[in-house]
Amino acid sequence: MNPKEKLLWSIAFPGFGQLLNGKYVKGIIFISLEFIINVQSKFNQIIYFSFNGEISKAIEHTKYQWLMFYPCIYFYSMWDAYKDAGGGKEPYSYLPFVMSAFFVTVGLMYSAKVKIFGIYLGTVWFPMICVIPGIMVGFLLKKIFRNR
């Protein structure tokens, strides 16, 4: 399997890319962290409410103290699987992952207050949208730092 395939498996579930890379201890740690954070933050319940358009219930049930760990674990797991599989060899290739984790975490903090076109997107949809500027800023910083 190539690095991009392992990255995609980590997107599907943190830790799977590590298992495919033969890094079983890391994979089990990431999978365990995924389960712990998911249960403690009530993430599946939040996703359920969000997909059913019950944004206020999603916001109400969110355990921010736990859910704020999720973006860092998620994006680091992706980066780690990709790098261990031989990807990300160019300088500063980690920046899109780091900036995405940062923007999603900040987006999560503001998700109960931000309206887009008069609509609350809540603790699932708004942070997901925040991935886009995170990736863009990460690639921009990578380009700036590489051209110095």
Side-chain angles (χ1 to χ4, degrees), residues 9-101:
W9 277 109
S10 278
I11 290 171
F13 200 94
F16 281 7
Q18 285 75 11
L19 294 178
L20 291 171
N21 282 331
K23 308 285 182 160
Y24 301 113
V25 173
K26 274 201 284 189
I28 290 168
I29 289 170
F30 282 127
I31 290 169
S32 298
L33 286 170
E34 157 74 20
F35 275 109
I36 291 166
I37 294 168
N38 191 304
V39 169
Q40 293 296 323
S41 68
K42 300 186 177 186
F43 197 35
N44 283 347
Q45 189 175 29
I46 297 162
I47 292 170
Y48 175 81
F49 287 137
S50 296
F51 270 77
N52 284 287
E54 299 180 69
I55 302 302
S56 59
K57 279 189 179 179
I59 291 169
E60 179 183 319
H61 284 85
T62 301
K63 302 295 182 202
Y64 289 92
Q65 298 88 342
W66 280 97
L67 193 55
M68 286 174 55
F69 285 109
Y70 194 80
C72 294
I73 298 296
Y74 188 73
F75 285 100
Y76 182 76
S77 172
M78 285 190 277
W79 163 249
D80 183 70
Y82 182 64
K83 181 122 173 104
D84 278 351
K89 293 184 180 185
E90 64 276 357
Y92 307 108
S93 58
Y94 59 88
L95 283 171
F97 296 91
V98 171
M99 295 311 297
S100 293

